[in-house]
Amino acid sequence: MTVHAGLQSRHVNVGNVTFGNDLPFVLIAGPCQMESRSHALEMAETLTKACERLSIPLIYKSSFDKANRTSLDSSRGIGMDEALSVFEEIKSKFGCPVITDVHAAHQCEPVSQVVDVLQIPAFLCRQTDLLIAAAKTGRAINVKKGQFLAPWDMANVSQKIIDSGNDKVMVCERGVSFGYNTLVSDMRSLPIMAHQTGCPVVFDATHSVAQPGGQGATSGGQREFISVLARAAVSVGVAGLFMETHQDPDNAPCDGPNMIRVQELPELLSVLVEFDKLAKAHPVSIA
């Protein structure tokens, strides 16, 4: 993916991983919610082995708190203190960077002591105090585009972080609201965000198939379309691909309908690697 003349697309280094719109894609993957130490370690081992076989850079993802659940009855996670020790163990044991969501400014500093990438949830992408606090940590930041924003609106979002002294910013597409309980992914947004922000672009293939509030007290999803959207995005050209995964998503405590089965992930990734090679050899330009 190339950008308009005069606007250089920066690279973002995260440990031994580098994000760039002109580089092979980085996989951000893991279960939506951290359920337990044993489950996190099991998932991290599975993902590490799969990515090593395909030479795909991996950043392990899980959330210590799902603060934007549909109802009060929904499971939120194991909490920050317990999760941070697990993230530390994953980094030490498997050698991969880790990423997690932050929902409030006061969380940014303690989380940044362990986590390599702070992720700003889509609903919070315009919360200035949160963006500034995340920027001040010096950690890389992955900002999800709000379901209510146009892709060019992310220029202002990313600039808040850059102007706060941190240019290690990725911007993430995860669909835009289209009627009730439905999201659509406009593939034009990927080169537009690269063009407008100069940042590495990540595509979230799992939340893009979510149906917010689609099951009443919980969100639904169309898992069968994850591979469709992942293929499309990688074919356009992205710096990173975000896919939440689980060994038994139908019984996962969070976002099961839009998580891919981890058993199916290696086959899909092997196809996506080939798509990515073609896309990077023939980059898209909107200049």
Side-chain angles (χ1 to χ4, degrees), residues 46-227:
T46 300
L47 289 167
T48 300
K49 288 180 178 178
C51 287
E52 284 178 347
R53 285 193 292 269
L54 294 166
S55 298
I56 298 173
L58 171 69
I59 294 187
Y60 182 81
K61 185 270 168 186
S62 204
S63 298
F64 62 81
D65 178 21
K66 300 300 293 184
N68 58 353
R69 300 305 306 278
T70 304
S71 81
L72 283 174
D73 295 330
S74 299
S75 170
R76 289 184 53 166
I78 65 175
M80 184 171 68
D81 292 342
E82 185 176 350
L84 289 180
S85 66
V86 177
F87 280 129
E88 219 163 18
E89 188 172 358
I90 288 171
K91 291 174 61 174
S92 174
K93 188 168 184 177
F94 302 108
C96 62
V98 296
I99 179 173
T100 197
D101 303 296
V102 286
H103 293 88
H106 72 269
Q107 295 176 336
C108 293
E109 181 57 32
V111 171
S112 72
Q113 297 302 310
V114 174
V115 172
D116 302 280
V117 186
L118 303 183
Q119 182 162 276
I120 308 297
F123 286 127
L124 301 177
C125 70
R126 291 185 59 171
Q127 297 300 307
T128 301
D129 288 345
L130 177 59
L131 296 177
I132 292 173
K136 295 299 185 184
T137 68
R139 290 296 193 181
I141 301 169
N142 186 38
V143 189
K144 291 199 171 184
K145 179 174 74 64
Q147 302 91 324
F148 43 86
L149 292 183
W152 45 85
D153 293 329
M154 290 301 286
N156 288 326
V157 172
S158 60
Q159 200 62 44
K160 287 182 181 180
I161 299 170
I162 294 167
D163 288 347
S164 298
N166 187 340
D167 65 355
K168 293 184 286 186
V169 188
M170 287 94 73
V171 291
C172 181
E173 173 62 67
R174 49 89 22 100
V176 65
S177 295
F178 185 77
Y180 298 125
N181 306 123
T182 304
L183 300 172
V184 295
S185 291
D186 180 359
M187 294 301 156
R188 294 176 301 175
S189 73
L190 304 175
I192 289 172
M193 286 200 296
H195 170 92
Q196 292 287 336
T197 70
C199 297
V201 175
V202 177
F203 181 74
D204 181 345
T206 46
H207 290 100
S208 290
V209 304
Q211 296 172 316
Q215 295 181 346
T218 60
S219 292
Q222 295 177 299
R223 187 185 304 132
E224 65 271 23
F225 291 115
I226 293 172
S227 62

